[in-house]
Amino acid sequence: MMQNKVLVLHGPNLNLLGTRQPEIYGEEALADIDNALYEKAALAGMELRCRQSNHEGELVDAIQAARLDGTNAIIINPAAYTHTSVAILDALNAFDGQVIEVHLSNVHKREAFRHHSYVSLRADGVIAGLGSRGYLLALEALANPGNRTD
């Protein structure tokens, strides 16, 4: 079944995309990524909301609100909170819909501390290392579930 109400959450420092370490994170601004997502969602007949926060509690609040507002799926790039936040994991564990974790860089080619993800313990899928295209692929996976291998 297509997930028709999707929340996209961007974690800390992603508001600096395009200017912060473009050799790792690319040259696109976060607004460019969000605009491409809104366009793709509209074509697929999906309702999409995008939100960025540098604050862990605000991300937890957004996940908790998604439990109650009819959201079917969450695409999340928790950024640095990937490796540290049990609170985000706990909030995602209380969410009944699909969860796809996205990372712009290939975290497995980076520092060892980035190799562990708390969020992956809940994620139904993980996309890493494909830049901003990873977000679009996550949205496509939600729009066209196809064959899953849970």
Side-chain angles (χ1 to χ4, degrees):
M1 176 174 101
M2 180 179 83
Q3 306 299 321
N4 61 0
K5 189 170 183 183
V6 179
L7 172 63
V8 177
L9 291 175
H10 307 286
N13 297 309
L14 292 174
N15 56 306
L16 301 177
L17 286 178
T19 60
R20 174 186 171 233
Q21 296 178 286
E23 69 281 3
I24 295 174
Y25 301 109
E27 296 183 6
E28 279 182 285
L30 186 60
D32 298 328
I33 293 170
D34 286 348
N35 289 337
L37 285 166
Y38 282 120
E39 192 174 296
K40 187 173 187 82
L43 290 172
M46 302 168 85
E47 180 184 333
L48 184 79
R49 289 176 295 124
C50 296
R51 181 169 178 191
Q52 187 277 331
S53 180
N54 294 318
H55 305 281
E56 183 179 30
E58 287 183 14
L59 295 168
V60 169
D61 287 345
I63 295 165
Q64 289 181 1
R67 295 179 64 224
L68 305 174
D69 69 6
T71 296
N72 305 103
I74 295 173
I75 297 170
I76 183 169
N77 181 344
Y81 291 135
T82 302
H83 323 292
T84 63
S85 184
V86 174
I88 290 174
L89 171 62
D90 286 348
L92 289 169
N93 279 334
F95 177 74
D96 290 331
Q98 295 286 306
V99 175
I100 299 180
E101 178 182 355
V102 173
H103 297 283
L104 296 165
S105 68
N106 181 350
V107 293
H108 301 288
K109 287 180 71 174
R110 299 184 63 198
E111 303 94 333
F113 74 87
R114 296 186 193 275
H115 299 176
H116 178 265
S117 168
Y118 283 101
V119 172
S120 290
L121 296 171
R122 168 57 180 90
D124 297 294
V126 179
I127 300 170
L130 299 178
S132 63
R133 186 165 180 241
Y135 285 101
L136 296 171
L137 291 170
L139 194 61
E140 183 178 316
L142 294 170
N144 305 295
N147 296 331
R148 303 262 337 238
T149 58
D150 296 329

